[in-house]
Amino acid sequence: QVQLVESGGGLVQAGGSLRLSCAASGRTFSSYRMAWFRQAPGKEREFVAHISRGGLTTYYADSVKGRFTISRDNPKNTVYLQMNSLKPEDTAAYYCAARSGASNYYSSPRMYNYWGQGTQVTVSS
């Protein structure tokens, strides 16, 4: 199993940038597929980005494509989400997630085995 802890959230003006980090426990981090989700008050948890075990394949939600970049540093057991050109609609609690097996439904929250506690991102206009 793996435990995940997010950090890097905060308050930023529209158009600004922020980088989130997700630190994972254990020695088998490289065996997990990783993803970022976000959830705003009163809304469903939505997919943001996914990255393969080796970091060579990534997927993004249409709403963030071209603005956000997911990456990972396996020796440091860390996955990142670089967020540029932030918009007020990006305001949400951001969660990292991990899955130990392959899945065709990478954008579905229920397909991930482990979740972090979340970090709040607030974008002001």
Side-chain angles (χ1 to χ4, degrees):
Q1 63 179 15
V2 61
Q3 293 187 351
L4 309 173
V5 180
E6 303 95 335
S7 63
L11 176 64
V12 64
Q13 290 187 351
S17 298
L18 207 60
R19 189 176 79 158
L20 306 183
S21 298
C22 176
S25 65
R27 63 174 183 173
T28 59
F29 176 69
S30 62
S31 69
Y32 290 89
R33 299 148 178 86
M34 303 294 296
W36 286 96
F37 288 79
R38 65 187 183 186
Q39 187 168 23
K43 296 184 178 180
E44 295 290 317
R45 188 165 299 188
E46 68 172 335
F47 169 77
V48 176
H50 175 277
I51 189 167
S52 62
R53 290 170 294 176
L56 297 179
T57 303
T58 58
Y59 300 96
Y60 297 94
D62 289 341
S63 60
V64 306
K65 190 174 183 179
R67 300 188 298 120
F68 291 10
T69 302
I70 187 172
S71 62
R72 66 192 299 164
D73 187 338
N74 286 342
K76 294 184 177 180
N77 281 16
T78 304
V79 62
Y80 305 95
L81 184 67
Q82 178 66 47
M83 304 183 293
N84 298 326
S85 301
L86 283 163
K87 305 174 181 179
E89 49 263 46
D90 294 319
T91 296
Y94 282 71
Y95 300 86
C96 62
R99 180 176 177 82
S100 59
S103 175
N104 292 324
Y105 305 100
Y106 58 84
S107 63
S108 177
R110 69 186 186 92
M111 298 306 297
Y112 291 85
N113 308 107
Y114 307 101
W115 293 86
Q117 185 177 353
T119 185
Q120 179 67 37
V121 172
T122 302
V123 184
S124 63
S125 60

